[in-house]
Amino acid sequence: MLDLKLEDIDGILVRYNVALEKEMTPDEAAEELYPKDELIYPIAKAIYEGEEDDVIDGLKAAIDAGKDPIALINESLMVGMSVVSQLYDEGIIFLPNVMMSADAMLEGIEFCKTQTSEVPEPKGKIVCHVAEGDVHDIGKNIVAALLRASGYEVVDLGRDCPVDEVIEAVEKEKPLMVTGTALMTTTMYAFKEINDKLLEKGIKLPFACGGGAVNQDFVSQYDLGVYGEEASDAVKIANFIVENGSEIEKLREEFHKH
Amino acid sequence: MVKKYTSMAYANADDMLFGNSKFPVKAGLGLEIGAGYTTPELNYAPRPQAGKSKEKLIKEYERITTDAMARMVQIGAPSIVLETEHVEQMTNNPEWGGAVAHAQKTIMEEYHDEYGIKCALRHTVGDIREDRDYLKLTGDKFDLLMESFEQVAKNGADLLSVESMGGKEVFDYSILRNDTAGILFGIGVLGSMDMETVWSGVADIAKKTGTVAAGDTDCAQANTAMFIAGGLLDKNLAHTIAIVARAISAGRSLCAYEAGATGPGKDCGYENTIIKSISGVPIAQEGKTSTCAHSDVMGNLTMQCCDLWSNESVEYHGEFGGTSVQCWSESLAYDCSLMNVALKTGKAKDLRDMFTLSDKYRDPQGYVLAYDNAYRVGEAIAKDGNDNYLRAKNAAVECCNIVEEGVASGKLKLTRFEINALTKVKEDLAALTDDSDKFMSDCLTKYKEEVAVFLPENYGL
Ligand code: B12
């Protein structure tokens, strides 16, 4: 078959990802971010590596040394996870690493809970769902995992979720925001219904919407809508609410980029 | 009867070409697919409001069909395939699907009678075997799926397709966790098992109704991987892992033809070049002229061996140049015209190679799917063609080898991240057993425990 000469390829296409790759390896970058405390360090590192058994071993050692199990959630598990989130945001590590770390962190939290009768306080509660009639749930799963990884309690209503179930969950859970994912132009209209029913009940909270079919113009059409393009935007929106309050106008100013 | 492929349809990769397949397929009104020319395949979606009632839907598809046929005649296109991918209501209510097929075919017949334009209608029913929580592959939902096929076949559809989803629950879990064994199990083992069941059923219906059991695609898995992998700068999945999933999917989608399907394979099956090399069936492909539906990193390359050239899907609405179906069918038709000129002037292999080279080094996915390398993956599958697991594993291993050779040549440039991901997959594969029974029992134990939504009874296990 015909072929290109090596030197001709750059004129045809550019592998920008290769050109821009960071010098530092992910492990080196993570090493710089771990806390130095010798009881905490192994836990944070085990979170980054996604090694559940090592996480539990580290927690046991720290508890034996007198650390409080509930405090360890924030001081070690969350710290490890924030290393992971930061590296993901910077494009140094990829999503599967985040997912494995999140799994390890959740196991760690469960373990800590078994070590005490106290109940940990999460950063906030968030209800996630995929629009009624829509089974495309991978994006939502990513959103839920990243939110959990950032310390939020996620109430995951799953896919193909009836409008009324979303409303009920919001009334029951009183979350700081709801997220909706839709990948089909035929299903995303459920978001408007959810918006209207919430407002009818006098509930005003940010409704972060995303997913393949959804765009900023559509989301701007209903009062509670805040559009996010990337799964990591869901975390940024939640953090913004925690820090700056839940005013939709402000959120749109910050997150509506188009 | 399922008869597995253990040899290649083509003696050499170089024998593979667009518009030509070893076993052309006659369908519809005067059309022959893979018989020396390429044909556009237009795919469209109704506007959301149109799904409200059966009458509205039929009207919408009548408009779509008339618009597209009219434009094809206006620009002098010799042939066209229309593909209707069902919205859920059409499969769940089989008589809706049937009524739409009938309405479309009636219009196509009028155009065929008046102008002689060669045309055929594909209906791709929705794989509705899923409820909110679980896949429900067998039982009532399966029967409904088959009934839908039968209705569209009896009412005018010429080509029968589906994008089936077997294995997806394990795959969805595994792909987000770089779990090589799970990807292999979901696509290569579970997916293949479900394919054999579904396509034996479709082949029977095709025989009974005098229609064509066309083919499937691993959209539910390999395309999910490709979409999660995204563009060059996305960081959700290494493109090297996405292409391994794709290589595995070729064995899975091949099962349709082993169960009696004859092609043309479905447009979004980027694994189709591999499948063509083994089976010789005609294939549909999509790429640069399906940017209305999605972005990919191999827009020209996919034309290399296509027999039908598709736009994947576009919502029906107005554009400056006409309705969307008119605009996109026209683009497809001009692409096909170029390929057909190359075929008539003896330049087809040059054009094919230009398509391939345009994207071969753009991404590891294009590199492996370039027809010369795709052929090698085909050989790896055929070598152990009788064993769904082994052939999937072979395909994955060969895929890793091909990418490594590309990197060694200096022409395929990868990030360290992509190379590390590849190394890990290769190690994972090397650690796997060669005993399919053992693999099955290991995986059953592991995924029953780890994947809450995995129900082995879906696969008769
Ligand atoms: C994979 C896939 C499937 C898989 C889904 C597997 C699964 N478990 O999800 C399967 C095979 C099941 C499937 C089925 C169908 N599909 Co489909 N599918 C796709 C495909 C190829 C990729 C989708 C995907 O997973 N992308 C990757 C994920 C990660 O992206 P994402 O969800 O958008 O999420 C990202 C962001 O949007 C963001 N995000 C997501 N949610 C949120 C929320 C917030 C708050 C924020 C901030 C961010 C955010 O985060 C993610 C990462 O950054 C698309 C193609 C496309 N162009 O999108 C078609 C597509 C969505 N499917 C389509 C269709 C038509 C169907 C079917 C109807 C086909 C059929 N005839 O049966 C059925 C639908 C059944 C149903 N009722 O839902 C059409 C929809 C067309 C339309 N009407 O709009 C598409 C667009 C294909 C096309 N071009 O025609 N599909």
Side-chain angles (χ1 to χ4, degrees):
Chain A
M1 68 186 289
L2 301 175
D3 203 355
L4 292 167
K5 292 207 254 345
L6 184 57
E7 62 272 24
D8 290 337
I9 295 177
D10 284 350
I12 311 268
L13 55 97
V14 184
R15 294 273 295 160
Y16 289 106
N17 50 345
V18 175
L20 294 178
E21 192 173 32
K22 305 259 187 336
E23 268 307 307
M24 209 183 266
T25 69
D27 291 358
E28 287 165 4
E31 200 62 51
E32 293 207 334
L33 297 172
Y34 296 139
K36 303 288 173 260
D37 183 308
E38 59 186 43
L39 286 172
I40 304 293
Y41 170 87
I43 304 173
K45 185 167 177 177
I47 292 281
Y48 165 79
E49 288 169 347
E51 295 289 349
E52 296 166 4
D53 297 344
D54 294 352
V55 170
I56 306 293
D57 288 348
L59 288 170
K60 279 183 187 153
I63 292 168
D64 288 346
K67 296 255 183 200
D68 172 48
I70 293 299
L72 275 174
I73 295 178
N74 281 330
E75 286 163 18
S76 66
L77 298 174
M78 285 301 163
V79 171
M81 204 61 220
S82 72
V83 171
V84 174
S85 301
Q86 186 178 338
L87 295 180
Y88 174 69
D89 263 351
E90 289 172 9
I92 295 174
I93 60 169
F94 275 49
L95 184 70
N97 303 82
V98 181
M99 298 294 288
M100 287 183 286
S101 295
D103 288 351
M105 182 194 67
L106 293 176
E107 287 231 352
I109 293 179
E110 285 312 308
F111 176 79
C112 288
K113 285 196 209 156
T114 63
Q115 302 299 305
T116 166
S117 54
E118 276 174 76
V119 186
E121 212 167 289
K123 252 160 103 178
K125 207 184 258 184
I126 294 169
V127 169
C128 296
H129 86 285
V130 178
E132 184 162 1
D134 203 322
V135 303
H136 298 90
D137 61 359
I138 296 189
K140 183 271 297 164
N141 293 345
I142 298 175
V143 167
L146 294 183
L147 285 169
R148 286 201 178 104
S150 303
Y152 292 97
E153 183 183 347
V154 171
V155 179
D156 185 345
L157 302 179
R159 61 190 185 198
D160 184 9
C161 182
V163 167
D164 290 333
E165 238 172 81
V166 179
I167 310 294
E168 277 163 36
V170 171
E171 290 186 288
K172 174 161 170 262
E173 309 287 351
K174 310 210 175 356
L176 65 94
M177 72 172 186
V178 193
T179 79
T181 297
L183 271 92
M184 302 202 292
T185 47
T186 44
T187 59
M188 63 187 190
Y189 291 90
F191 293 163
K192 279 189 173 165
E193 272 186 61
I194 290 174
N195 174 83
D196 295 350
K197 289 201 172 175
L198 287 173
L199 289 178
E200 250 172 54
K201 290 183 181 277
I203 303 173
K204 241 190 138 209
L205 88 173
F207 182 16
C209 300
V214 180
N215 57 51
Q216 184 181 305
D217 284 347
F218 177 74
V219 175
S220 308
Q221 290 170 25
Y222 42 91
D223 295 351
L224 302 176
V226 180
Y227 174 67
E229 198 159 311
E230 290 280 326
S232 54
D233 289 332
V235 177
K236 290 177 190 147
I237 295 172
N239 289 342
F240 191 89
I241 295 172
V242 169
E243 284 156 24
N244 304 293
S246 60
E247 206 181 307
I248 309 291
E249 262 325 297
K250 270 203 209 155
L251 283 160
R252 287 188 177 176
E253 227 165 79
E254 181 74 16
F255 293 99
H256 285 199
K257 297 164 190 156
H258 299 291
Chain B
M1 247 318 277
V2 173
K3 191 179 162 301
K4 308 299 264 185
Y5 288 103
T6 52
S7 59
M8 301 295 281
Y10 291 90
N12 302 293
D14 187 53
D15 298 341
M16 302 201 318
L17 188 57
F18 51 76
N20 286 273
S21 69
K22 263 268 149 75
F23 306 108
V25 169
K26 288 198 168 96
L29 306 167
L31 188 70
E32 195 167 1
I33 302 161
Y37 59 96
T38 60
T39 292
E41 178 167 26
L42 176 73
N43 188 330
Y44 31 77
R47 284 166 289 195
Q49 321 78 280
K52 293 248 153 61
S53 71
K54 182 171 149 193
E55 291 63 39
K56 280 196 168 156
L57 258 186
I58 293 174
K59 195 96 217 113
E60 185 86 340
Y61 282 110
E62 282 175 346
R63 287 195 201 99
I64 289 171
T65 306
T66 307
D67 284 3
M69 294 306 292
R71 180 61 64 92
M72 289 299 91
V73 173
Q74 288 286 17
I75 64 162
S79 60
I80 175 91
V81 171
L82 298 186
E83 183 191 1
T84 299
E85 269 188 20
H86 282 199
V87 293
E88 151 280 311
Q89 304 92 304
M90 286 162 68
T91 306
N92 278 321
N93 307 297
E95 77 284 6
W96 290 33
V100 169
H102 176 74
Q104 291 190 277
K105 193 59 174 295
T106 304
I107 296 166
M108 293 169 80
E109 277 164 353
E110 286 164 14
Y111 273 88
H112 178 71
D113 289 347
E114 181 145 12
Y115 302 100
I117 182 169
K118 295 181 281 211
C119 54
L121 177 64
R122 185 192 312 247
H123 265 232
T124 298
V125 306
D127 191 349
I128 37 79
R129 298 172 302 158
E130 185 168 37
D131 68 17
R132 203 171 148 199
D133 299 315
Y134 295 101
L135 286 182
K136 286 262 158 50
L137 298 180
T138 56
D140 291 355
K141 291 270 192 158
F142 181 85
D143 297 343
L144 185 61
L145 185 72
M146 291 300 141
E147 197 192 326
S148 172
F149 273 119
E150 192 156 341
Q151 281 299 324
V152 298
K154 283 182 175 157
N155 284 290
D158 304 302
L159 305 167
L160 307 181
S161 280
V162 62
E163 308 186 349
S164 65
M165 304 198 289
K168 168 174 119 36
E169 71 289 51
V170 171
F171 171 83
D172 280 358
Y173 172 85
S174 307
I175 194 68
L176 295 181
R177 289 169 177 78
N178 281 352
D179 178 351
T180 309
I183 296 171
L184 199 56
F185 184 58
I187 303 177
V189 177
L190 299 177
S192 296
M193 291 170 80
D194 183 53
M195 282 287 289
E196 287 171 359
T197 314
V198 170
W199 280 93
S200 299
V202 184
D204 284 348
I205 291 167
K207 204 181 263 165
K208 206 164 70 183
T209 53
T211 54
V212 177
D216 206 299
T217 148
D218 195 29
C219 185
Q221 305 176 98
N223 286 19
T224 302
M226 179 170 83
F227 281 97
I228 301 177
L232 296 181
L233 302 183
D234 285 320
K235 45 190 197 220
N236 289 333
L237 182 72
H239 290 203
T240 40
I241 295 182
I243 187 56
V244 170
R246 178 69 63 190
I248 294 171
S249 79
R252 171 261 179 216
S253 298
L254 186 67
C255 292
Y257 313 104
E258 295 174 326
T262 56
K266 266 279 294 166
D267 51 1
C268 65
Y270 283 69
E271 63 273 23
N272 277 347
T273 305
I274 302 171
I275 288 172
K276 189 173 189 174
S277 75
I278 306 170
S279 66
V281 302
I283 58 173
Q285 292 280 256
E286 61 192 34
K288 75 162 168 128
T289 315
S290 61
T291 50
C292 48
H294 75 271
S295 163
D296 66 41
V297 280
M298 48 197 135
N300 287 327
L301 180 138
T302 44
M303 288 169 100
Q304 59 189 355
C305 299
C306 75
D307 299 291
L308 298 177
W309 181 235
S310 156
N311 67 316
E312 179 171 2
S313 190
V314 69
E315 188 180 278
Y316 182 58
H317 57 235
E319 300 281 5
F320 291 159
T323 56
S324 57
V325 292
Q326 296 184 309
C327 300
W328 289 90
S329 60
E330 180 165 344
S331 291
L332 292 168
Y334 282 115
D335 289 341
C336 288
S337 179
L338 176 63
M339 290 189 273
N340 293 340
V341 168
L343 285 166
K344 293 292 179 211
T345 53
K347 303 287 186 210
K349 288 194 172 177
D350 285 341
L351 181 58
R352 172 197 64 190
D353 286 1
M354 287 190 263
F355 285 144
T356 305
L357 283 175
S358 149
D359 305 323
K360 186 172 181 182
Y361 304 110
R362 194 177 299 279
D363 192 84
Q365 299 174 89
Y367 189 76
V368 175
L369 294 176
Y371 70 89
D372 53 330
N373 289 329
Y375 186 88
R376 287 176 55 190
V377 178
E379 288 177 309
I381 290 171
K383 179 160 69 90
D384 285 305
N386 281 315
D387 185 318
N388 286 339
Y389 162 63
L390 278 185
R391 73 186 196 179
K393 179 165 164 259
N394 291 352
V397 171
E398 187 66 6
C399 171
C400 294
N401 293 339
I402 289 168
V403 175
E404 281 183 351
E405 286 167 29
V407 174
S409 77
K411 291 186 174 177
L412 177 64
K413 292 190 191 140
L414 298 186
T415 59
R416 271 196 323 265
F417 171 78
E418 289 171 314
I419 292 173
N420 291 344
L422 184 71
T423 309
K424 178 190 173 287
V425 175
K426 228 187 149 178
E427 286 167 7
D428 291 347
L429 288 167
L432 290 177
T433 174
D434 279 333
D435 178 344
S436 359
D437 293 337
K438 180 166 182 338
F439 183 72
M440 173 69 94
S441 70
D442 289 353
C443 286
L444 270 178
T445 314
K446 179 168 160 42
Y447 296 106
K448 261 196 298 201
E449 190 175 307
E450 289 183 18
V451 184
V453 294
F454 172 43
L455 304 179
E457 56 266 34
N458 266 323
Y459 307 91
L461 297 169

